[in-house]
Amino acid sequence: MADQRKATEQNFYDRAYESGTVDTMYGFFEISAGVQRYRQLIFADSSGKRVLEYGCGLGGQAFALADRGATVTGIDISDVAVAQARRRATASPPHKLTFVKADAECLDFADGSFDLVCGSGILHHLDLQRSLREVRRVLSDGGRSVFYEPLGHNPLLNLYRLLTPQSHTPDEHPLLKHEIDEMKARAEFFDLFSVFIIPVLWMPGGKALLRASEWIDRQIFRLVPPLRWWAATIVLELRK
C-alpha cells in the first residue's frame, strides 16, 4: 500500500516537472507572508550548517541556503525534479550542493547528519510518524526542522480541493489539528482571507491587496485564536 502511494506521488510529480505545470498560484507561494516567514526561519544562522531539504523539487530553497554558506542536500521522490535540480546546480556558482532521489520516510543518512531539515508542502504527502521519526533521527543534537504546510480545516478550501482533484495526488491530505498537536511544534498560522486574493494577485494592486488581507488575518488570529485553525497554511518549527 505504501509502495503504491509513493509510486503515485512519483508519477504525478514526474509528469508535473516534465510539463512545467507546478503552479505557484500567480506567485503566491513565492511572496506570501507564510512563505517569507518560512524562509526567514531556515535562513537564520544557516552559514556553515548542514541542511537537508525535504521534497526539494527543482531546488526549492537549496540554492539560497548554499548562497548563505550552508552545505545542502536536497532530496525528492521525482527523478525528473532531481535531474533538473542537478542541471541547475552545474550552471550556478560553485556551492556545496547535492541532489538525490530518496524516500523521505526511510532516509539513507547516518544519525545526526544535519543541523537543519526543512521542507515546503512535503509533510502532508507523507506518513507523518515515519517521516518525523526520520527527521529527528538525522538531526544533530540541538538541531531543528522547519516546515511550511497546508492546513485542512477551512471548509471553502476543502471544497476547492474536492472540485480540483487534478491539482493534487489522491493520498495527500492537508494537516489536521490533532496531527499538529502530536508534533509538539511551535506553530505560526497564515492565510485566512489572504489566500482568496490569489485569483487577483496578478492584477495591478494585487500585491497591496494581499498585504492588506494578511494584516487582517493577523488581527483576527490575535483577537479570535480558535480561527487560526481555519488558516490555509502553517509554519512549523521543531527542535531536537
Side-chain angles (χ1 to χ4, degrees):
M1 194 72 172
D3 289 343
Q4 180 58 49
R5 169 173 58 85
K6 293 171 186 178
T8 300
E9 291 279 343
Q10 178 181 341
N11 291 336
F12 180 92
Y13 282 100
D14 279 347
R15 291 195 302 271
Y17 287 119
E18 283 173 345
S19 62
T21 56
V22 178
D23 193 357
T24 66
M25 295 291 183
Y26 300 114
F28 179 84
F29 292 115
E30 297 293 331
I31 65 171
S32 65
V35 172
Q36 291 182 348
R37 179 56 175 160
Y38 166 71
R39 289 174 176 162
Q40 181 185 40
L41 287 172
I42 67 172
F43 293 158
D45 191 31
S46 57
S47 179
K49 295 297 192 297
R50 302 165 299 165
V51 181
L52 174 65
E53 184 170 21
Y54 245 40
C56 63
L58 304 183
Q61 301 304 316
F63 292 91
L65 284 160
D67 284 340
R68 288 164 172 79
T71 299
V72 188
T73 301
I75 64 168
D76 203 279
I77 198 171
S78 167
D79 293 293
V80 176
V82 169
Q84 292 188 26
R86 286 174 175 169
R87 284 197 291 273
R88 282 186 64 196
T90 61
S92 71
H95 284 313
K96 296 178 181 178
L97 267 173
T98 305
F99 294 103
V100 296
K101 179 180 178 180
D103 181 347
E105 297 172 8
C106 186
L107 297 172
D108 190 23
F109 301 110
D111 296 0
S113 295
F114 300 98
D115 305 303
L116 170 68
V117 178
C118 61
S120 176
I122 178 63
L123 290 182
H124 73 286
H125 292 273
L126 305 174
D127 181 305
L128 274 178
Q129 290 188 344
R130 290 181 181 177
S131 56
L132 290 176
R133 185 165 57 244
E134 283 292 88
V135 167
R136 183 172 178 81
R137 181 183 67 78
V138 301
L139 274 175
S140 59
D141 290 339
R144 62 195 178 97
S145 55
V146 182
F147 296 98
Y148 171 73
E149 294 290 330
L151 274 173
H153 292 290
N154 188 300
L156 290 177
L157 293 178
N158 287 339
L159 177 61
Y160 173 77
R161 294 182 185 109
L162 183 65
L163 295 175
T164 57
Q166 73 284 353
S167 67
H168 52 81
T169 54
D171 296 309
E172 70 177 84
H173 74 277
L175 299 185
L176 301 175
K177 183 178 185 300
H178 73 90
E179 294 171 319
I180 293 164
D181 288 343
E182 290 171 1
M183 292 182 200
K184 295 181 170 57
R186 188 172 71 86
E188 298 180 53
F189 299 81
F190 299 90
D191 306 319
L192 178 61
F193 290 115
S194 55
V195 71
F196 296 105
I197 304 300
I198 290 174
V200 299
L201 188 56
W202 61 275
M203 299 175 64
K207 290 182 181 178
L209 191 58
L210 174 65
R211 297 305 172 216
S213 63
E214 288 173 338
W215 182 87
I216 293 171
D217 288 346
R218 289 193 295 271
Q219 307 317 307
I220 291 174
F221 294 153
R222 179 176 60 85
L223 295 170
V224 192
L227 286 181
R228 295 177 305 170
W229 294 104
W230 275 29
T233 59
I234 191 170
V235 174
L236 301 163
E237 184 176 25
L238 301 92
R239 292 186 178 270
K240 181 173 178 179

